[in-house]
Amino acid sequence: MNRFSLSVFSVIARVTGSALGPYQSAVVRIGFSLTWLLFLLRELPHRAELYGPDGPWSWELARQLIDGNGAFTALMWSDGRIWFETVYALSVLSSLLLLLGWRTRTMSVLFMVGVLSLQNRSVFVGDGGDNVLHLMSIYLVFMRCGRVWSLDARRERRAGEARARGERVTDRVGPALWSVFGAVLVAVTAGGRLDGDWTVPVILWTVWAALGVRWAVGRLATSAQPRILLDVITDIVHNGALLVIMAEACLIYATAGWYKIQGSRWQDGTAVYYPLHLDYFSPWPALGDLLSASGTMVMLVTYGTVIVQVAFPFTLFNRRVKNVLLVAMIAEHTAIAVILGLPFFSLAMIATDAVFLPTPFLRWLGGWATRVWEALLPRRRAVVPGQRGAHEPEEAAEPGRVGFTA
């Protein structure tokens, strides 16, 4: 067997044998759920004007648009104020639980439903960050994003310790959620609420069926072969979603960079100057004036932005250069959040960039956060030498895969 064949088989074994990027997946989950949660909380006083019955984009106008494009939104199931408040509250709750990593598979579905319901209700509200969040909420459904830094990982770890002691572990919450999820799906499907575009209904029914099959196999299978097959399928789907997120990030930056090159203001190095003097993008006018006071600084930032965005997709195969540009892009989005007053757009883009962060750095970050947490809570049980720490369950032992978790 030649070297090329060995390389191909090695790649196939890696893709099908494990779910890649556990820490990157966790950061993406935390980043997007935190972004949406903070947005919903900030807009809580204005929720009815943005997405509800008090907005200029009325329920009837939204109905006419959705009848034409088939977009999914649960807010079209009723025009009542109580239903709107219920959907908004469930969106907040699912974002919080996904952030904490509780029943991540189910919460990722509810998170997607909340994002699509609110954004598709008022399509003229939002910016580029909302478009990214819209797509990523769908990709998260297919990812195993709760294997580390989540309540799911802690529960699986404790369940494994209990089994090692010979104790019987029974999961009652998972089947209960699955039953409620199925009953709601049957009701809304029978009521014709999912008659628009087929994409979201297919995702909802597929996830529900997959969770049921996984639970049944875990309880009833007499051999390990069915569980191994399900693990392989889950890993392939997860790795495919991770690859799509990477490709999406590269496409966003490449498209933005090449469009900027065609603009005359970007070509002469003055493009950054103008948004710094728009009232809408000037939460700190003095800071914008300070940055735009130097023509050299404006030119460097303008050209640097274009160079970083165009070059980034071509640096993915060089780890050091990629990491340098990654730091530059995260710093750029941080500056946009502060100087231009676009925090949620920046958080969404930083969460997308996190998929490229190196694993050693993320493990170090997790260890640092754990040490800070233990310092704040000195009574917390210390980790026994040789035992897995709270921040590294994936490297020491694979969490259980059978059930209703990630």
Side-chain angles (χ1 to χ4, degrees):
M1 185 177 295
N2 56 35
R3 183 176 300 179
F4 175 76
S5 299
L6 288 175
S7 300
V8 171
F9 284 123
S10 176
V11 171
I12 294 176
R14 182 167 175 77
V15 171
T16 60
S18 63
L20 305 177
Y23 294 95
Q24 288 81 358
S25 303
V27 173
V28 170
R29 181 199 88 231
I30 293 170
F32 281 104
S33 58
L34 179 63
T35 300
W36 187 237
L37 176 62
L38 292 178
F39 176 80
L40 293 178
L41 293 178
R42 191 196 71 170
E43 301 299 341
L44 192 62
H46 314 291
R47 61 190 183 282
E49 289 80 7
L50 288 175
Y51 304 111
D54 298 338
W57 189 249
S58 67
W59 192 87
E60 287 298 332
L61 289 175
R63 166 58 65 191
Q64 295 178 24
L65 179 62
I66 290 171
D67 286 342
N69 60 23
F72 170 85
T73 170
L75 290 178
M76 288 293 99
W77 298 351
S78 172
D79 60 350
R81 183 65 178 253
I82 295 178
W83 176 244
F84 166 74
E85 298 292 352
T86 301
V87 172
Y88 200 93
L90 289 177
S91 298
V92 173
L93 180 61
S94 63
S95 301
L96 176 61
L97 294 178
L98 184 62
L99 173 65
L100 297 176
W102 186 81
R103 306 286 170 173
T104 51
R105 185 70 72 183
T106 302
M107 289 306 113
S108 65
V109 174
L110 295 180
F111 178 78
M112 177 194 70
V113 170
V115 171
L116 298 184
S117 295
L118 292 173
Q119 290 189 352
N120 289 338
R121 166 63 175 83
S122 299
V123 294
F124 302 107
V125 176
D127 52 28
D130 295 285
N131 296 332
V132 175
L133 182 63
H134 191 103
L135 294 173
M136 296 301 172
S137 68
I138 300 176
Y139 302 152
L140 278 173
V141 174
F142 301 98
M143 298 176 64
R144 298 182 62 209
C145 55
R147 292 173 297 152
V148 297
W149 300 343
S150 67
L151 295 178
D152 284 349
R154 186 182 70 169
R155 185 179 66 255
E156 290 292 338
R157 184 168 61 251
R158 291 180 174 179
E161 295 171 354
R163 294 188 187 98
R165 295 191 299 267
E167 299 176 6
R168 180 181 178 84
V169 178
T170 303
D171 180 18
R172 295 184 176 86
V173 177
L177 287 175
W178 182 81
S179 300
V180 173
F181 188 11
V184 172
L185 270 181
V186 170
V188 298
T189 302
R193 305 297 188 181
L194 300 178
D195 290 343
D197 183 77
W198 58 268
T199 305
V200 174
V202 167
I203 292 175
L204 295 176
W205 277 106
T206 301
V207 172
W208 180 79
L211 290 174
V213 170
R214 177 172 287 276
W215 179 83
V217 169
R219 290 293 299 272
L220 304 176
T222 58
S223 67
Q225 296 302 320
R227 289 191 291 270
I228 294 175
L229 176 61
L230 290 180
D231 289 341
V232 170
I233 295 174
T234 303
D235 291 341
I236 292 175
V237 172
H238 166 88
N239 295 333
L242 201 63
L243 179 62
V244 170
I245 292 177
M246 293 179 178
E248 189 80 35
C250 292
L251 182 62
I252 290 172
Y253 285 119
T255 303
W258 286 107
Y259 267 105
K260 286 181 174 66
I261 289 177
Q262 302 175 44
S264 59
R265 294 294 175 261
W266 291 97
Q267 292 175 7
D268 61 26
T270 62
V272 172
Y273 175 86
Y274 299 99
L276 295 175
H277 293 275
L278 294 176
D279 293 337
Y280 187 78
F281 296 108
S282 299
W284 315 100
L287 191 59
D289 293 339
L290 179 63
L291 181 62
S292 62
S294 171
T296 303
M297 179 63 68
V298 171
M299 182 186 67
L300 290 176
V301 173
T302 301
Y303 288 150
T305 299
V306 175
I307 292 172
V308 168
Q309 291 183 348
V310 172
F312 179 74
F314 301 100
T315 64
L316 296 181
F317 299 101
N318 189 310
R319 183 175 302 176
R320 293 182 178 179
V321 178
K322 182 263 293 183
N323 290 339
V324 171
L325 292 187
L326 195 58
V327 172
M329 289 192 299
I330 293 176
E332 175 189 353
H333 290 305
T334 303
I336 291 174
V338 176
I339 299 174
L340 298 183
L342 296 172
F344 301 110
F345 165 79
S346 299
L347 279 175
M349 293 308 303
I350 291 174
T352 305
D353 296 340
V355 75
F356 297 106
L357 289 173
T359 299
F361 168 75
L362 292 176
R363 293 190 65 191
W364 170 85
L365 186 64
W368 174 82
T370 301
R371 289 190 295 271
V372 171
W373 179 260
E374 291 176 349
L376 294 175
L377 298 176
R379 295 183 180 180
R380 183 180 174 87
R381 180 178 64 87
V383 178
V384 178
Q387 188 178 18
R388 282 179 289 131
H391 60 283
E392 52 177 1
E394 187 67 21
E395 296 298 325
E398 182 83 8
R401 299 188 181 188
V402 178
F404 290 83
T405 61

